[in-house]
mmCIF file of all heavy atoms in Angstrom:
data_model
loop_
_atom_site.group_PDB
_atom_site.id
_atom_site.type_symbol
_atom_site.label_atom_id
_atom_site.label_comp_id
_atom_site.label_asym_id
_atom_site.label_seq_id
_atom_site.Cartn_x
_atom_site.Cartn_y
_atom_site.Cartn_z
ATOM 1 N N LEU D 440 12.905 3.269 16.303
ATOM 2 C CA LEU D 440 12.431 2.019 15.714
ATOM 3 C C LEU D 440 11.098 2.231 15.009
ATOM 4 O O LEU D 440 10.912 1.788 13.862
ATOM 5 C CB LEU D 440 12.294 0.952 16.798
ATOM 6 C CG LEU D 440 11.713 -0.390 16.344
ATOM 7 C CD1 LEU D 440 12.588 -1.009 15.265
ATOM 8 C CD2 LEU D 440 11.558 -1.347 17.522
ATOM 9 N N LEU D 441 10.161 2.920 15.671
ATOM 10 C CA LEU D 441 8.853 3.158 15.069
ATOM 11 C C LEU D 441 8.976 4.034 13.821
ATOM 12 O O LEU D 441 8.286 3.808 12.825
ATOM 13 C CB LEU D 441 7.917 3.811 16.086
ATOM 14 C CG LEU D 441 7.416 2.894 17.215
ATOM 15 C CD1 LEU D 441 6.749 3.714 18.315
ATOM 16 C CD2 LEU D 441 6.444 1.854 16.669
ATOM 17 N N SER D 442 9.872 5.026 13.869
ATOM 18 C CA SER D 442 10.080 5.896 12.704
ATOM 19 C C SER D 442 10.652 5.118 11.527
ATOM 20 O O SER D 442 10.256 5.316 10.374
ATOM 21 C CB SER D 442 11.011 7.056 13.059
ATOM 22 O OG SER D 442 10.477 7.846 14.088
ATOM 23 N N LEU D 443 11.604 4.233 11.818
ATOM 24 C CA LEU D 443 12.187 3.409 10.760
ATOM 25 C C LEU D 443 11.149 2.469 10.160
ATOM 26 O O LEU D 443 11.058 2.328 8.931
ATOM 27 C CB LEU D 443 13.364 2.603 11.325
ATOM 28 C CG LEU D 443 14.037 1.619 10.357
ATOM 29 C CD1 LEU D 443 14.607 2.361 9.148
ATOM 30 C CD2 LEU D 443 15.138 0.836 11.072
ATOM 31 N N LEU D 444 10.350 1.844 11.019
ATOM 32 C CA LEU D 444 9.292 0.948 10.532
ATOM 33 C C LEU D 444 8.275 1.717 9.694
ATOM 34 O O LEU D 444 7.813 1.230 8.653
ATOM 35 C CB LEU D 444 8.595 0.264 11.709
ATOM 36 C CG LEU D 444 9.435 -0.743 12.501
ATOM 37 C CD1 LEU D 444 8.672 -1.244 13.718
ATOM 38 C CD2 LEU D 444 9.849 -1.913 11.617
ATOM 39 N N MET D 445 7.925 2.921 10.152
ATOM 40 C CA MET D 445 6.973 3.746 9.403
ATOM 41 C C MET D 445 7.558 4.152 8.056
ATOM 42 O O MET D 445 6.856 4.160 7.037
ATOM 43 C CB MET D 445 6.600 4.976 10.227
ATOM 44 C CG MET D 445 5.628 5.911 9.539
ATOM 45 S SD MET D 445 4.837 7.113 10.645
ATOM 46 C CE MET D 445 6.246 7.722 11.584
ATOM 47 N N ALA D 446 8.843 4.488 8.038
ATOM 48 C CA ALA D 446 9.494 4.880 6.787
ATOM 49 C C ALA D 446 9.499 3.721 5.789
ATOM 50 O O ALA D 446 9.210 3.907 4.600
ATOM 51 C CB ALA D 446 10.919 5.347 7.058
ATOM 52 N N LEU D 447 9.821 2.534 6.280
ATOM 53 C CA LEU D 447 9.917 1.374 5.390
ATOM 54 C C LEU D 447 8.550 0.837 4.980
ATOM 55 O O LEU D 447 8.250 0.692 3.793
ATOM 56 C CB LEU D 447 10.726 0.264 6.071
ATOM 57 C CG LEU D 447 12.233 0.491 6.197
ATOM 58 C CD1 LEU D 447 12.863 -0.643 6.992
ATOM 59 C CD2 LEU D 447 12.877 0.600 4.827
ATOM 60 N N PHE D 448 7.721 0.535 5.978
ATOM 61 C CA PHE D 448 6.490 -0.211 5.715
ATOM 62 C C PHE D 448 5.261 0.651 5.479
ATOM 63 O O PHE D 448 4.240 0.142 5.005
ATOM 64 C CB PHE D 448 6.223 -1.176 6.878
ATOM 65 C CG PHE D 448 7.293 -2.212 7.041
ATOM 66 C CD1 PHE D 448 8.145 -2.194 8.137
ATOM 67 C CD2 PHE D 448 7.486 -3.197 6.081
ATOM 68 C CE1 PHE D 448 9.145 -3.141 8.280
ATOM 69 C CE2 PHE D 448 8.488 -4.148 6.213
ATOM 70 C CZ PHE D 448 9.319 -4.122 7.323
ATOM 71 N N SER D 449 5.334 1.962 5.806
ATOM 72 C CA SER D 449 4.177 2.828 5.572
ATOM 73 C C SER D 449 4.507 4.012 4.679
ATOM 74 O O SER D 449 3.686 4.903 4.518
ATOM 75 C CB SER D 449 3.626 3.332 6.916
ATOM 76 O OG SER D 449 3.067 2.279 7.660
ATOM 77 N N THR D 450 5.714 4.024 4.116
ATOM 78 C CA THR D 450 6.097 5.124 3.227
ATOM 79 C C THR D 450 6.758 4.586 1.959
ATOM 80 O O THR D 450 6.168 4.621 0.882
ATOM 81 C CB THR D 450 7.053 6.105 3.947
ATOM 82 O OG1 THR D 450 6.491 6.490 5.205
ATOM 83 C CG2 THR D 450 7.283 7.347 3.102
ATOM 84 N N VAL D 451 7.963 4.062 2.088
ATOM 85 C CA VAL D 451 8.741 3.679 0.905
ATOM 86 C C VAL D 451 8.126 2.486 0.173
ATOM 87 O O VAL D 451 7.825 2.563 -1.031
ATOM 88 C CB VAL D 451 10.198 3.366 1.302
ATOM 89 C CG1 VAL D 451 10.984 2.891 0.084
ATOM 90 C CG2 VAL D 451 10.857 4.586 1.931
ATOM 91 N N LEU D 452 7.956 1.381 0.877
ATOM 92 C CA LEU D 452 7.447 0.176 0.212
ATOM 93 C C LEU D 452 6.034 0.351 -0.343
ATOM 94 O O LEU D 452 5.772 -0.077 -1.483
ATOM 95 C CB LEU D 452 7.503 -1.017 1.183
ATOM 96 C CG LEU D 452 8.916 -1.541 1.492
ATOM 97 C CD1 LEU D 452 8.863 -2.662 2.524
ATOM 98 C CD2 LEU D 452 9.605 -2.019 0.222
ATOM 99 N N PRO D 453 5.097 0.968 0.395
ATOM 100 C CA PRO D 453 3.760 1.163 -0.197
ATOM 101 C C PRO D 453 3.781 2.019 -1.457
ATOM 102 O O PRO D 453 3.012 1.761 -2.384
ATOM 103 C CB PRO D 453 2.973 1.840 0.933
ATOM 104 C CG PRO D 453 3.649 1.431 2.172
ATOM 105 C CD PRO D 453 5.108 1.345 1.815
ATOM 106 N N VAL D 454 4.633 3.061 -1.485
ATOM 107 C CA VAL D 454 4.725 3.887 -2.691
ATOM 108 C C VAL D 454 5.165 3.038 -3.883
ATOM 109 O O VAL D 454 4.595 3.120 -4.975
ATOM 110 C CB VAL D 454 5.709 5.062 -2.465
ATOM 111 C CG1 VAL D 454 6.065 5.725 -3.795
ATOM 112 C CG2 VAL D 454 5.107 6.090 -1.515
ATOM 113 N N TYR D 455 6.183 2.202 -3.663
ATOM 114 C CA TYR D 455 6.662 1.342 -4.747
ATOM 115 C C TYR D 455 5.624 0.280 -5.113
ATOM 116 O O TYR D 455 5.342 0.056 -6.300
ATOM 117 C CB TYR D 455 7.971 0.672 -4.347
ATOM 118 C CG TYR D 455 8.424 -0.360 -5.361
ATOM 119 C CD1 TYR D 455 8.950 0.032 -6.576
ATOM 120 C CD2 TYR D 455 8.276 -1.729 -5.093
ATOM 121 C CE1 TYR D 455 9.338 -0.906 -7.522
ATOM 122 C CE2 TYR D 455 8.667 -2.672 -6.031
ATOM 123 C CZ TYR D 455 9.194 -2.264 -7.247
ATOM 124 O OH TYR D 455 9.568 -3.189 -8.182
ATOM 125 N N PHE D 456 5.056 -0.378 -4.093
ATOM 126 C CA PHE D 456 4.068 -1.443 -4.339
ATOM 127 C C PHE D 456 2.866 -0.907 -5.113
ATOM 128 O O PHE D 456 2.382 -1.554 -6.051
ATOM 129 C CB PHE D 456 3.592 -2.052 -3.022
ATOM 130 C CG PHE D 456 4.625 -2.911 -2.342
ATOM 131 C CD1 PHE D 456 4.540 -3.169 -0.973
ATOM 132 C CD2 PHE D 456 5.669 -3.476 -3.043
ATOM 133 C CE1 PHE D 456 5.478 -3.965 -0.343
ATOM 134 C CE2 PHE D 456 6.619 -4.273 -2.424
ATOM 135 C CZ PHE D 456 6.520 -4.513 -1.069
ATOM 136 N N LEU D 457 2.372 0.270 -4.712
ATOM 137 C CA LEU D 457 1.199 0.830 -5.386
ATOM 138 C C LEU D 457 1.526 1.195 -6.828
ATOM 139 O O LEU D 457 0.738 0.910 -7.737
ATOM 140 C CB LEU D 457 0.700 2.059 -4.622
ATOM 141 C CG LEU D 457 -0.571 2.707 -5.185
ATOM 142 C CD1 LEU D 457 -1.727 1.714 -5.178
ATOM 143 C CD2 LEU D 457 -0.936 3.954 -4.393
ATOM 144 N N SER D 458 2.682 1.802 -7.035
ATOM 145 C CA SER D 458 3.092 2.172 -8.386
ATOM 146 C C SER D 458 3.197 0.937 -9.284
ATOM 147 O O SER D 458 2.682 0.929 -10.408
ATOM 148 C CB SER D 458 4.430 2.905 -8.333
ATOM 149 O OG SER D 458 4.906 3.178 -9.629
ATOM 150 N N GLU D 459 3.842 -0.099 -8.777
ATOM 151 C CA GLU D 459 4.002 -1.325 -9.556
ATOM 152 C C GLU D 459 2.674 -2.046 -9.721
ATOM 153 O O GLU D 459 2.383 -2.629 -10.776
ATOM 154 C CB GLU D 459 5.029 -2.234 -8.868
ATOM 155 C CG GLU D 459 5.369 -3.504 -9.634
ATOM 156 C CD GLU D 459 6.017 -3.263 -10.984
ATOM 157 O OE1 GLU D 459 6.539 -2.143 -11.205
ATOM 158 O OE2 GLU D 459 6.015 -4.181 -11.819
ATOM 159 N N GLY D 460 1.842 -2.023 -8.690
ATOM 160 C CA GLY D 460 0.525 -2.663 -8.778
ATOM 161 C C GLY D 460 -0.351 -2.004 -9.815
ATOM 162 O O GLY D 460 -1.048 -2.687 -10.588
ATOM 163 N N ILE D 461 -0.334 -0.665 -9.855
ATOM 164 C CA ILE D 461 -1.118 0.065 -10.855
ATOM 165 C C ILE D 461 -0.638 -0.278 -12.253
ATOM 166 O O ILE D 461 -1.435 -0.425 -13.182
ATOM 167 C CB ILE D 461 -1.029 1.584 -10.588
ATOM 168 C CG1 ILE D 461 -1.815 1.947 -9.330
ATOM 169 C CG2 ILE D 461 -1.548 2.376 -11.788
ATOM 170 C CD1 ILE D 461 -1.667 3.385 -8.908
ATOM 171 N N ARG D 462 0.664 -0.414 -12.407
ATOM 172 C CA ARG D 462 1.212 -0.775 -13.726
ATOM 173 C C ARG D 462 0.682 -2.127 -14.191
ATOM 174 O O ARG D 462 0.456 -2.344 -15.391
ATOM 175 C CB ARG D 462 2.735 -0.801 -13.671
ATOM 176 C CG ARG D 462 3.406 -1.006 -15.027
ATOM 177 C CD ARG D 462 4.912 -1.088 -14.896
ATOM 178 N NE ARG D 462 5.338 -2.328 -14.248
ATOM 179 C CZ ARG D 462 5.444 -3.511 -14.882
ATOM 180 N NH1 ARG D 462 5.143 -3.604 -16.159
ATOM 181 N NH2 ARG D 462 5.861 -4.581 -14.235
ATOM 182 N N ARG D 463 0.452 -3.033 -13.251
ATOM 183 C CA ARG D 463 0.043 -4.396 -13.616
ATOM 184 C C ARG D 463 -1.470 -4.571 -13.765
ATOM 185 O O ARG D 463 -1.916 -5.380 -14.585
ATOM 186 C CB ARG D 463 0.566 -5.385 -12.572
ATOM 187 C CG ARG D 463 2.091 -5.406 -12.485
ATOM 188 C CD ARG D 463 2.593 -6.474 -11.546
ATOM 189 N NE ARG D 463 4.045 -6.376 -11.365
ATOM 190 C CZ ARG D 463 4.800 -7.356 -10.888
ATOM 191 N NH1 ARG D 463 4.257 -8.511 -10.543
ATOM 192 N NH2 ARG D 463 6.103 -7.181 -10.753
ATOM 193 N N ILE D 464 -2.271 -3.858 -12.968
ATOM 194 C CA ILE D 464 -3.717 -4.088 -13.008
ATOM 195 C C ILE D 464 -4.530 -2.838 -13.337
ATOM 196 O O ILE D 464 -5.746 -2.915 -13.504
ATOM 197 C CB ILE D 464 -4.239 -4.686 -11.681
ATOM 198 C CG1 ILE D 464 -4.066 -3.683 -10.535
ATOM 199 C CG2 ILE D 464 -3.549 -5.998 -11.373
ATOM 200 C CD1 ILE D 464 -4.696 -4.160 -9.224
ATOM 201 N N GLY D 465 -3.874 -1.677 -13.439
ATOM 202 C CA GLY D 465 -4.589 -0.450 -13.761
ATOM 203 C C GLY D 465 -5.047 0.303 -12.518
ATOM 204 O O GLY D 465 -5.264 -0.291 -11.461
ATOM 205 N N SER D 466 -5.216 1.612 -12.673
ATOM 206 C CA SER D 466 -5.546 2.459 -11.527
ATOM 207 C C SER D 466 -6.958 2.220 -11.003
ATOM 208 O O SER D 466 -7.206 2.303 -9.798
ATOM 209 C CB SER D 466 -5.385 3.933 -11.899
ATOM 210 O OG SER D 466 -6.204 4.258 -13.015
ATOM 211 N N SER D 467 -7.912 1.923 -11.884
ATOM 212 C CA SER D 467 -9.293 1.740 -11.435
ATOM 213 C C SER D 467 -9.425 0.521 -10.537
ATOM 214 O O SER D 467 -10.068 0.570 -9.486
ATOM 215 C CB SER D 467 -10.236 1.619 -12.641
ATOM 216 O OG SER D 467 -9.868 0.516 -13.455
ATOM 217 N N HIS D 468 -8.797 -0.602 -10.948
ATOM 218 C CA HIS D 468 -8.853 -1.802 -10.115
ATOM 219 C C HIS D 468 -8.065 -1.601 -8.816
ATOM 220 O O HIS D 468 -8.467 -2.067 -7.753
ATOM 221 C CB HIS D 468 -8.293 -3.007 -10.884
ATOM 222 C CG HIS D 468 -9.181 -3.468 -11.997
ATOM 223 N ND1 HIS D 468 -8.838 -3.328 -13.325
ATOM 224 C CD2 HIS D 468 -10.405 -4.048 -12.004
ATOM 225 C CE1 HIS D 468 -9.799 -3.813 -14.086
ATOM 226 N NE2 HIS D 468 -10.769 -4.247 -13.312
ATOM 227 N N ALA D 469 -6.951 -0.890 -8.913
ATOM 228 C CA ALA D 469 -6.150 -0.628 -7.718
ATOM 229 C C ALA D 469 -6.935 0.201 -6.710
ATOM 230 O O ALA D 469 -6.877 -0.042 -5.499
ATOM 231 C CB ALA D 469 -4.857 0.090 -8.095
ATOM 232 N N SER D 470 -7.694 1.190 -7.198
ATOM 233 C CA SER D 470 -8.465 2.035 -6.283
ATOM 234 C C SER D 470 -9.557 1.237 -5.585
ATOM 235 O O SER D 470 -9.878 1.492 -4.416
ATOM 236 C CB SER D 470 -9.079 3.215 -7.047
ATOM 237 O OG SER D 470 -10.036 2.763 -7.979
ATOM 238 N N MET D 471 -10.134 0.262 -6.285
ATOM 239 C CA MET D 471 -11.169 -0.577 -5.652
ATOM 240 C C MET D 471 -10.575 -1.420 -4.525
ATOM 241 O O MET D 471 -11.168 -1.570 -3.460
ATOM 242 C CB MET D 471 -11.819 -1.489 -6.697
ATOM 243 C CG MET D 471 -12.638 -0.756 -7.746
ATOM 244 S SD MET D 471 -14.028 0.172 -7.064
ATOM 245 C CE MET D 471 -13.362 1.838 -7.122
ATOM 246 N N ILE D 472 -9.388 -1.973 -4.764
ATOM 247 C CA ILE D 472 -8.726 -2.782 -3.732
ATOM 248 C C ILE D 472 -8.370 -1.904 -2.536
ATOM 249 O O ILE D 472 -8.423 -2.341 -1.374
ATOM 250 C CB ILE D 472 -7.459 -3.444 -4.301
ATOM 251 C CG1 ILE D 472 -7.840 -4.434 -5.407
ATOM 252 C CG2 ILE D 472 -6.674 -4.168 -3.207
ATOM 253 C CD1 ILE D 472 -6.657 -4.989 -6.175
ATOM 254 N N GLY D 473 -8.047 -0.636 -2.796
ATOM 255 C CA GLY D 473 -7.698 0.292 -1.728
ATOM 256 C C GLY D 473 -8.820 0.540 -0.743
ATOM 257 O O GLY D 473 -8.589 1.084 0.342
ATOM 258 N N PHE D 474 -10.040 0.124 -1.083
ATOM 259 C CA PHE D 474 -11.166 0.311 -0.175
ATOM 260 C C PHE D 474 -11.009 -0.493 1.111
ATOM 261 O O PHE D 474 -11.698 -0.238 2.092
ATOM 262 C CB PHE D 474 -12.474 -0.108 -0.874
ATOM 263 C CG PHE D 474 -13.130 1.006 -1.615
ATOM 264 C CD1 PHE D 474 -12.564 1.528 -2.760
ATOM 265 C CD2 PHE D 474 -14.308 1.571 -1.167
ATOM 266 C CE1 PHE D 474 -13.145 2.564 -3.445
ATOM 267 C CE2 PHE D 474 -14.912 2.608 -1.842
ATOM 268 C CZ PHE D 474 -14.325 3.115 -2.987
ATOM 269 N N ILE D 475 -10.105 -1.436 1.124
ATOM 270 C CA ILE D 475 -9.899 -2.226 2.332
ATOM 271 C C ILE D 475 -9.124 -1.432 3.384
ATOM 272 O O ILE D 475 -9.089 -1.813 4.558
ATOM 273 C CB ILE D 475 -9.152 -3.543 1.995
ATOM 274 C CG1 ILE D 475 -9.312 -4.560 3.133
ATOM 275 C CG2 ILE D 475 -7.681 -3.274 1.720
ATOM 276 C CD1 ILE D 475 -8.750 -5.926 2.810
ATOM 277 N N GLY D 476 -8.518 -0.305 2.984
ATOM 278 C CA GLY D 476 -7.676 0.475 3.880
ATOM 279 C C GLY D 476 -8.312 0.861 5.199
ATOM 280 O O GLY D 476 -7.758 0.585 6.276
ATOM 281 N N PRO D 477 -9.471 1.539 5.195
ATOM 282 C CA PRO D 477 -10.090 1.919 6.471
ATOM 283 C C PRO D 477 -10.416 0.733 7.367
ATOM 284 O O PRO D 477 -10.312 0.824 8.598
ATOM 285 C CB PRO D 477 -11.366 2.645 6.028
ATOM 286 C CG PRO D 477 -11.051 3.164 4.670
ATOM 287 C CD PRO D 477 -10.184 2.105 4.043
ATOM 288 N N VAL D 478 -10.805 -0.378 6.754
ATOM 289 C CA VAL D 478 -11.114 -1.579 7.544
ATOM 290 C C VAL D 478 -9.862 -2.067 8.264
ATOM 291 O O VAL D 478 -9.896 -2.422 9.453
ATOM 292 C CB VAL D 478 -11.680 -2.697 6.639
ATOM 293 C CG1 VAL D 478 -12.001 -3.938 7.459
ATOM 294 C CG2 VAL D 478 -12.906 -2.210 5.885
ATOM 295 N N ILE D 479 -8.732 -2.073 7.549
ATOM 296 C CA ILE D 479 -7.462 -2.508 8.139
ATOM 297 C C ILE D 479 -7.067 -1.591 9.292
ATOM 298 O O ILE D 479 -6.644 -2.056 10.358
ATOM 299 C CB ILE D 479 -6.354 -2.527 7.071
ATOM 300 C CG1 ILE D 479 -6.647 -3.598 6.009
ATOM 301 C CG2 ILE D 479 -4.994 -2.799 7.715
ATOM 302 C CD1 ILE D 479 -5.709 -3.548 4.826
ATOM 303 N N THR D 480 -7.212 -0.269 9.094
ATOM 304 C CA THR D 480 -6.821 0.676 10.134
ATOM 305 C C THR D 480 -7.653 0.489 11.392
ATOM 306 O O THR D 480 -7.130 0.502 12.511
ATOM 307 C CB THR D 480 -6.966 2.126 9.635
ATOM 308 O OG1 THR D 480 -6.142 2.302 8.483
ATOM 309 C CG2 THR D 480 -6.527 3.111 10.703
ATOM 310 N N ILE D 481 -8.955 0.341 11.231
ATOM 311 C CA ILE D 481 -9.830 0.141 12.396
ATOM 312 C C ILE D 481 -9.481 -1.148 13.108
ATOM 313 O O ILE D 481 -9.438 -1.210 14.348
ATOM 314 C CB ILE D 481 -11.307 0.166 11.954
ATOM 315 C CG1 ILE D 481 -11.696 1.596 11.537
ATOM 316 C CG2 ILE D 481 -12.224 -0.329 13.071
ATOM 317 C CD1 ILE D 481 -13.084 1.714 10.973
ATOM 318 N N PHE D 482 -9.183 -2.201 12.344
ATOM 319 C CA PHE D 482 -8.802 -3.484 12.952
ATOM 320 C C PHE D 482 -7.484 -3.343 13.709
ATOM 321 O O PHE D 482 -7.373 -3.772 14.869
ATOM 322 C CB PHE D 482 -8.680 -4.548 11.867
ATOM 323 C CG PHE D 482 -8.081 -5.843 12.353
ATOM 324 C CD1 PHE D 482 -8.822 -6.733 13.123
ATOM 325 C CD2 PHE D 482 -6.758 -6.169 12.060
ATOM 326 C CE1 PHE D 482 -8.270 -7.915 13.592
ATOM 327 C CE2 PHE D 482 -6.195 -7.350 12.513
ATOM 328 C CZ PHE D 482 -6.955 -8.222 13.283
#
């Protein structure tokens, strides 16, 4: 179950979401939003 969840929600979907997000707002803005990542992990 954990492997499936990791595959879907931490591998496949993020790859697609990031690719599509960059297409819509550009890589520089996407990288700035990505700064929230460490905060989310610690939380």
Side-chain angles (χ1 to χ4, degrees):
L440 176 60
L441 288 168
S442 300
L443 176 60
L444 292 174
M445 179 164 47
L447 288 175
F448 297 111
S449 292
T450 309
V451 177
L452 289 177
V454 167
Y455 173 74
F456 288 159
L457 183 60
S458 175
E459 184 63 19
I461 289 174
R462 187 183 70 81
R463 298 185 186 198
I464 65 174
S466 57
S467 59
H468 289 111
S470 66
M471 293 299 103
I472 296 171
F474 271 69
I475 198 173
V478 180
I479 294 172
T480 301
I481 290 175
F482 171 75

